[in-house]
Amino acid sequence: MRRLKGTVCCDQAFQAMLLALYTFGQFIRPADDPSNDGFRAPNDPVFSTADAAVGLVARSGYASDPGPLPWGAEVYPRFYDERGDGWSPATLSLWTDIEALFAFTYSGLHADAVRRGREWFRQGDWPPLVMWWHAETARRPTWAEGVERYEFLHDHGPSPFGFTFRDAFDHHGERKTLDRSRITQLRAAAT
């Protein structure tokens, strides 16, 4: 048996497809500008909350930071505008399912950060995130794979190759409606 963030599952269930998530944002001002302090201050607590979230399987670290190892070379989508600060907020992670990811994304500290996003991040025509079902349990998705699917979502719209919460797909490639009652249960359990 393996334990996934407080839940026990059998090895067969662990071998099921996992939901991969890549997120990307660009600061309005350079990364070290004091206007971004409100983003940086809760960053470590948000990561701690994510690490304890029901449904998180693993997340990539960053080559420049202590913590989990990065899943390949860190790259950014073509929308990234290098302004001399050398980085932009991005994440890459694996989740058990879309409802668990939704419950984490729109609850607690992370939801507070999402609500304040317009204070820190440029608004563009690029999506804030992309999700896809990752079938290769022997390896983690890479940053380059996340960027490829992110750009594909931008260029071609939602599909099983890359989608959003609004236009989700299940692991069979069929349109999916989120289970709102499960999201409610997950949120209640997290508080």
Side-chain angles (χ1 to χ4, degrees), residues 15-187:
Q15 295 299 320
M17 294 176 83
L18 297 173
L19 183 69
L21 168 72
Y22 171 80
T23 66
F24 170 75
Q26 291 189 82
F27 287 124
I28 296 168
R29 302 212 173 265
D32 61 355
D33 191 276
S35 65
N36 297 321
D37 289 349
F39 172 80
R40 282 191 301 273
N43 202 42
D44 287 342
V46 167
F47 276 132
S48 292
T49 302
D51 289 342
V54 171
L56 178 72
V57 174
R59 67 177 173 87
S60 176
Y62 308 93
S64 60
D65 294 346
L69 294 175
W71 298 347
E74 296 164 55
V75 295
Y76 294 120
R78 68 178 183 266
F79 316 111
Y80 174 60
D81 181 20
E82 173 57 58
R83 295 177 300 167
D85 47 14
W87 76 282
S88 195
T91 65
L92 181 62
S93 55
L94 282 172
W95 294 79
T96 55
D97 60 272
I98 196 167
E99 285 83 8
L101 174 56
F102 188 95
F104 166 75
T105 301
Y106 296 107
S107 299
L109 288 174
H110 193 269
D112 293 341
V114 169
R115 279 191 288 280
R116 294 184 62 195
R118 290 185 184 273
E119 293 176 34
W120 309 304
F121 298 114
R122 289 174 43 199
Q123 301 302 303
D125 68 345
W126 54 81
L129 60 84
V130 65
M131 294 177 275
W132 68 97
W133 291 100
H134 182 73
E136 299 178 56
T137 57
R139 74 164 187 86
R140 303 290 190 216
T142 64
W143 289 98
E145 183 179 1
V147 167
E148 176 188 17
R149 290 174 183 267
Y150 184 84
E151 290 179 349
F152 188 91
L153 172 64
H154 173 269
D155 295 345
H156 303 285
S159 70
F161 190 75
F163 53 89
T164 64
F165 288 119
R166 183 172 305 198
D167 294 298
F169 290 81
D170 66 19
H171 64 279
H172 298 292
E174 302 295 325
R175 292 264 181 195
K176 175 175 177 48
T177 302
L178 276 63
D179 181 343
R180 298 293 178 175
S181 64
R182 181 152 185 275
I183 292 168
T184 300
Q185 291 171 346
L186 289 164
R187 284 179 167 163

